[in-house]
Amino acid sequence: MLRRTLLCTALAFASVAVTAPAMAQSSYPDRPIQMLVPWGAGGGTDAVARIIGTLLQQELGVPVNVVNRTGGSGVVGHSAIATAKPDGYTIGVVTIEIDMMHWQGLTPLTYKDFDFLAMVNADPGGVMVSVDSPFKTLPELLTAIKEKPAGTFKASGTGQGGIWHLGLAGWMLSHGLNPDQVTWVPSQGAAPGITDMVAGGVDLVPTSLAEGRSMIDAKRVLALGSMSPERQELFPDAPTLKESVDSDWTLAVWRTIAAPKGLPEDVKAKLEAALEKAYNSPEYKKFMTERGFGMRWANGAEATRIVAEDDVTLGKIMKEAGLAK
């Protein structure tokens, strides 16, 4: 009888030992989650992070605190995400710059240092000119760029070696032109670049059409083309580069939600499911549409594939443009 009692007690303890970790894990999340943003408050990435954080909070039942970790052209924030404990309590917004920084020699960090949970936004690039420009179509502009000496035309919309500088270089290369056929004038972003263009300081701005939406709607800027495979829903009058000038070049800036590498599979699955619900909510669609942000969903596996492909493409462009180290 004593042996039987001891055996039952041992089995009970063994059962507790086996099930306790599983029970603890299944309770995720049981405390606040931190969402790191590598870019400043008030910008587009910050805005997307905050709406996603709010919706995740509703889905997961715990606070999701958005924290901006800026500096080093995105290196500081991306590094903070990658080096956090992979337990699901620190996630972050990883942007397309992760596919650029290591080519520039800013950091050894790459997309391989993250577990991607979802892609929640993508804004294709475009080509914009002022309404006062003599060029009203993309073929007219491209013909002039080809015929005039290198450096005749100027473009802006981001810093030297920034994503839209690469967008322009990739477009030029797709036509067999030198990547610096159009001189790049560095700016602090799309808005200053567009303002400079409207004032006559530069001839074109090859940034996302979403960033030029207010000026396009105000009839101060013309959207001549889109760097997307199909026309953009918000800008149906802007033909694709393929349609307009037979260029295969496409480029979009995207925002993904990611965690440090090594996230437990059950935690990853729970976060992916919550993100998909947040993405498909009416609140998210309304928010993104009102601000002109492009909606694009990709689950963790598909997001990883997209990010990996862009890493190769951007590395190639940066090397050809002399922007890689």
Side-chain angles (χ1 to χ4, degrees):
M1 186 70 178
L2 180 59
R3 284 182 61 193
R4 185 176 178 181
T5 301
L6 290 172
L7 179 60
C8 290
T9 303
L11 289 172
F13 276 115
S15 175
V16 170
V18 169
T19 60
M23 290 174 64
Q25 195 70 4
S26 66
S27 67
Y28 172 84
D30 60 6
R31 55 188 171 88
I33 294 171
Q34 180 176 236
M35 180 182 287
L36 301 179
V37 180
W39 309 102
T45 301
D46 179 69
V48 171
R50 290 182 187 278
I51 183 63
I52 286 289
T54 297
L55 296 171
L56 271 185
Q57 189 165 295
Q58 295 172 12
E59 290 295 331
L60 297 173
V62 298
V64 177
N65 302 315
V66 175
V67 178
N68 301 88
R69 294 289 299 274
T70 61
S73 300
V75 172
V76 172
H78 283 96
S79 297
I81 300 167
T83 57
K85 187 177 180 181
D87 57 5
Y89 290 100
T90 298
I91 60 177
V93 184
V94 172
T95 60
I96 196 169
E97 282 77 13
I98 195 63
D99 285 345
M100 299 164 56
M101 297 184 295
H102 68 100
W103 293 113
Q104 295 167 312
L106 298 177
T107 176
L109 201 67
T110 75
Y111 72 90
K112 296 178 182 179
D113 294 296
F114 302 89
D115 275 338
F116 288 89
L117 302 170
M119 180 172 288
V120 296
N121 156 252
D123 293 311
V127 180
M128 292 173 277
V129 297
S130 167
V131 291
D132 298 324
S133 171
F135 309 107
K136 306 304 180 185
T137 68
L138 202 58
E140 291 174 359
L141 175 62
L142 180 60
T143 297
I145 289 173
K146 287 180 175 180
E147 291 178 347
K148 299 290 185 179
T152 300
F153 290 88
K154 296 178 181 178
S156 188
T158 189
Q160 185 76 14
I163 185 59
W164 298 122
H165 186 186
L166 300 187
L168 175 65
W171 181 37
M172 293 295 100
L173 286 165
S174 74
H175 294 291
L177 299 170
N178 289 329
D180 58 354
Q181 179 73 15
V182 175
T183 299
W184 189 257
V185 178
S187 70
Q188 292 300 311
I194 292 171
T195 299
D196 192 19
M197 178 179 71
V198 171
V202 297
D203 303 287
L204 64 145
V205 170
T207 68
S208 72
L209 297 185
E211 292 176 290
R213 185 181 182 186
S214 62
M215 296 291 257
I216 293 170
D217 290 346
K219 309 297 183 185
R220 300 185 70 187
V221 166
L222 295 176
L224 299 187
S226 174
M227 298 178 186
S228 52
E230 298 87 26
R231 293 196 184 200
Q232 298 182 49
E233 183 179 348
L234 293 175
F235 307 97
D237 295 330
T240 66
L241 299 191
K242 184 65 176 178
E243 284 181 84
S244 188
V245 291
D246 197 28
S247 168
D248 291 323
W249 176 247
T250 60
L251 181 65
V253 293
W254 37 254
R255 296 177 175 103
T256 66
I257 308 301
K261 195 73 174 177
L263 198 63
E265 285 301 318
D266 57 340
V267 173
K268 187 175 183 180
K270 191 161 189 177
L271 284 169
E272 281 195 25
L275 283 165
E276 187 167 10
K277 287 183 179 179
Y279 178 89
N280 288 322
S281 69
E283 295 93 333
Y284 188 67
K285 184 173 183 179
K286 182 175 184 289
F287 178 91
M288 298 295 277
T289 301
E290 286 179 349
R291 286 157 180 76
F293 292 134
M295 293 189 67
R296 181 175 184 180
W297 170 260
N299 62 21
E302 178 66 5
T304 302
R305 183 192 65 78
I306 294 167
V307 174
E309 287 184 355
D310 281 355
D311 186 84
V312 174
T313 299
L314 293 176
K316 181 174 181 291
I317 296 299
M318 293 178 78
K319 289 174 184 177
E320 293 191 48
L323 296 169
K325 291 185 179 178

